[in-house]
Amino acid sequence: MMSSTEYRASLDDGRRVFFGGERVADVRTHEVIGPCADIVAASYDLISERYPDGSPFTLTPRSLEDLRAANDAIRPLGIMTLLTYASMMAMSTAASRIGEAAPNSEYPERIRGMLEEFRERDVRFAQCITDAKGDRRLPPGKQSDPDAYTRVVRRSAEGVWIRGAKLHITGASLAHELMVIPTKAMKPGEEDYAIACCVPVGSEGVTIVDTSTAPSRAEVPESPFSSHDSFPEAMVIFEDVFVPNDRIMLDGDIGFASIFAHSLGLWERVAGLTHMVDDADLLVGLAHLIAEANGLLKVSHINQKISDLIMHATMLRASLEAALGHGSQGHDGTVFPNELYTNAGKYFGASSWHPMVQKVQEIAGGSVITAPTRADMDNPEIGPAVKQHMAGATGDGEYRARLFHAIKDLTAGNFGGWKAVTKVQGGGGLYAQRIVTRKHFDLDAARDAALAATGLSVPPPVADTP
Ligand SMILES: Cc1cc2nc3c(=O)[nH]c(=O)nc-3n(C[C@H](O)[C@H](O)[C@H](O)COP(=O)(O)OP(=O)(O)OC[C@H]3O[C@@H](n4cnc5c(N)ncnc54)[C@H](O)[C@@H]3O)c2cc1C
């Protein structure tokens, strides 16, 4: 397994990263990216300490127990571990599904070989799926810019060259490998866009343009969540990047393009759902603590809102339990989470985040965004008065102010904004979860039940709209 020192050394690979319009000389010492590199490095040591025999979450699950154990293990290990887990599981799932559909395909064996190598090297992944997409009305082959979707521009006996860009890529500048997969299904004529491969971050022709919602150094004391959960988000540009054959998971087979997107979607969404369960519990805890600090715990409308938050947290946990407990097994023994419960749970959590946040902010009050900082409280000239007037019902102004800082960080600051957008857009967006949920819901059974309950049998034919 890699150590924190080896991880830090591995980032010195000539990677081309930009931040705020400037080339980053070294991501490890960069003011914004550097602290994130430290967090990933520390997670390597934590994993070695907890799992001296190797990371259990990179092994393909073979039973529901394996699935749950991996899900529990990754929770505290940070976003890069989570992205790596979801990427490797998606590759495993895609290999299984391609193997089932095309038993003679060479891809599954190649993907399994790559996975073994990645486990051996203990690498971290970023997931490059979302293309720039140009005019959203048009498919890849009909765009005025042929590079609006990432594509193969040249082929040789040794491999392919790819061009295009992937947007919103979390943690790209801190990863070792970019898992590049098609953003959606491809049609005849779009063979060059049906490309799935793994590209080392330091490859020639790869450029990473980072942005971040991380707090500034001065804001860190008020930022209990964003100070360790804000990772750089990137536009990753591929300018004729060479990919050797042994790194290609798919090239030109349009029939399999969507398998990768669906496989990643499933693992991304179960990871998203897992985070939502933890975030929903946090909302309950923060709402209860601030209501108590405000002296309002016994007020009925406050309590009703806390009950609503508890219902929300419980239903999300139930979805995750159902997703993990009702997983299915592929033909080669690979176990996946349940598609229906994963997608419905993720949709429920994403679409209810904003109303739940509103409840917490309503319970808490305006100090969510106006509470003075820790530096103000530490200043002997103003600190005593600031603490006095922040005391609320607790008599401890610093305690209450820190609760406000936490609520701001999670729901109303830069990172709160990131959370709000990510809940809605992450894992392919609400629209994608609606489609997959409908695909896996047993609509026929629901129709039959409705007919039986109403005493009807077969519905009469309905004419098409003229
Ligand atoms: C913070 C953050 C981190 C992310 N991390 C990653 C990552 O690591 N890797 C990655 O690959 N992706 C990542 N994503 C992307 C994410 O998973 C979504 O897929 C992506 O945001 C959606 O694409 P878009 O932003 O281009 O929106 P669009 O595709 O432009 O969608 C905008 C809206 O238009 C609708 N729409 C779009 N096209 C059509 C159409 N033809 N017909 C009808 N409606 C349409 C969509 O449903 C949506 O409601 C991340 C996103 C965010 C916000």
Side-chain angles (χ1 to χ4, degrees):
M1 282 201 284
M2 212 183 276
S3 69
S4 56
T5 313
E6 287 164 337
Y7 169 71
R8 293 179 65 79
S10 71
L11 297 176
D12 185 16
D13 59 358
R15 53 190 59 207
R16 190 163 186 258
V17 178
F18 286 77
F19 190 96
E22 286 176 12
R23 176 86 191 255
V24 174
D26 186 341
V27 291
R28 297 168 297 183
T29 51
H30 185 264
E31 191 186 354
V32 176
I33 309 172
C36 298
D38 293 341
I39 290 169
V40 185
S43 74
Y44 268 104
D45 285 346
L46 182 68
I47 293 166
S48 306
E49 222 175 275
R50 282 194 190 165
Y51 308 104
D53 300 330
S55 315
F57 43 83
T58 59
L59 296 171
T60 302
R62 302 279 167 198
S63 67
L64 292 179
E65 289 71 33
D66 288 352
L67 183 63
R68 178 174 294 278
N71 195 272
D72 290 346
I74 50 146
R75 277 170 116 126
L77 297 176
I79 193 146
M80 293 306 293
T81 317
L82 190 90
L83 292 170
T84 302
Y85 169 67
S87 304
M88 292 177 78
M89 293 305 111
M91 286 167 65
S92 228
T93 303
S96 170
R97 290 178 176 175
I98 293 174
E100 193 160 15
N104 294 327
S105 169
E106 69 194 69
Y107 294 127
E109 249 342 278
R110 193 186 294 170
I111 295 172
R112 288 191 193 106
M114 289 163 74
L115 281 169
E116 221 163 278
E117 182 213 312
F118 295 140
R119 271 184 212 117
E120 189 70 25
R121 287 176 39 221
D122 202 7
V123 295
R124 292 294 175 264
F125 272 90
Q127 307 164 345
C128 291
I129 175 165
T130 309
D131 282 296
K133 296 186 297 224
D135 183 334
R136 268 68 176 152
R137 288 168 300 181
L138 303 175
K142 297 239 163 71
Q143 297 282 338
S144 58
D145 173 7
D147 303 334
Y149 288 75
T150 303
R151 64 181 177 130
V152 174
V153 287
R154 212 174 117 204
R155 288 184 175 83
S156 75
E158 286 74 42
V160 302
W161 283 257
I162 61 169
R163 189 188 298 165
K166 298 284 186 178
L167 272 57
H168 326 297
I169 309 307
T170 308
S173 52
L174 295 166
H176 302 105
E177 294 282 336
L178 303 169
M179 181 184 68
V180 180
I181 62 176
T183 209
K184 60 177 186 176
M186 296 296 162
K187 299 200 176 76
E190 295 171 347
E191 286 74 12
D192 289 343
Y193 296 95
I195 176 72
C197 53
C198 288
V199 177
V201 172
S203 304
E204 204 181 324
V206 171
T207 303
I208 294 172
V209 183
D210 266 341
T211 59
S212 173
T213 53
S216 66
R217 279 192 209 287
E219 290 166 328
V220 164
E222 285 84 49
S223 311
F225 305 112
S226 59
S227 52
H228 52 81
D229 285 347
S230 273
F231 269 65
E233 308 287 356
M235 173 185 283
V236 179
I237 303 167
F238 298 94
E239 286 168 305
D240 297 5
V241 176
F242 176 67
V243 186
N245 287 330
D246 62 2
R247 292 305 183 100
I248 296 175
M249 301 189 282
L250 182 79
D251 175 23
D253 287 291
I254 50 170
F256 298 146
S258 65
I259 283 184
F260 285 92
H262 289 153
S263 301
L264 182 64
L266 174 61
W267 288 98
E268 261 298 292
R269 286 169 205 154
V270 83
L273 179 56
T274 305
H275 262 281
M276 284 176 180
V277 168
D278 295 338
D279 279 352
D281 285 349
L282 267 179
L283 289 184
V284 174
L286 286 169
H288 200 267
L289 289 168
I290 199 67
E292 181 181 62
N294 287 349
L296 294 172
L297 258 192
K298 298 221 160 78
V299 170
S300 75
H301 83 91
I302 299 280
N303 251 307
Q304 193 185 332
K305 290 182 182 72
I306 292 173
S307 300
D308 290 344
L309 289 162
I310 290 172
M311 293 293 175
H312 170 254
T314 307
M315 290 309 294
L316 273 177
R317 189 170 291 283
S319 304
L320 179 62
E321 288 297 316
L324 296 176
H326 295 264
S328 53
Q329 196 152 31
H331 76 115
D332 60 354
T334 306
V335 167
F336 335 108
N338 180 285
E339 292 268 11
L340 178 69
Y341 299 133
T342 298
N343 280 276
K346 164 72 173 59
Y347 178 89
F348 171 71
S351 55
S352 53
W353 177 252
H354 293 71
M356 292 303 131
V357 161
Q358 183 188 330
K359 287 180 199 294
V360 177
Q361 292 173 347
E362 207 181 334
I363 290 169
S367 293
V368 168
I369 47 167
T370 66
T373 63
R374 294 270 286 280
D376 293 320
M377 289 183 279
D378 290 343
N379 181 327
E381 210 178 322
I382 52 172
V386 166
K387 288 183 197 165
Q388 176 193 346
H389 299 300
M390 285 305 296
T394 64
D396 183 341
E398 179 159 352
Y399 166 84
R400 185 162 164 267
R402 287 180 67 171
L403 284 179
F404 284 124
H405 296 158
I407 296 171
K408 175 182 178 182
D409 195 30
L410 190 67
T411 72
N414 262 358
F415 183 67
W418 176 90
K419 278 247 173 224
V421 176
T422 309
K423 296 277 182 207
V424 175
Q425 291 293 347
L430 294 177
Y431 177 62
Q433 287 129 59
R434 258 192 229 117
I435 293 175
V436 183
T437 302
R438 279 199 65 151
K439 185 173 158 210
H440 290 275
F441 182 81
D442 194 343
L443 190 55
D444 287 338
R447 283 169 58 92
D448 288 347
L451 287 170
T454 44
L456 294 166
S457 53
V458 183
V462 177
D464 284 343
T465 318

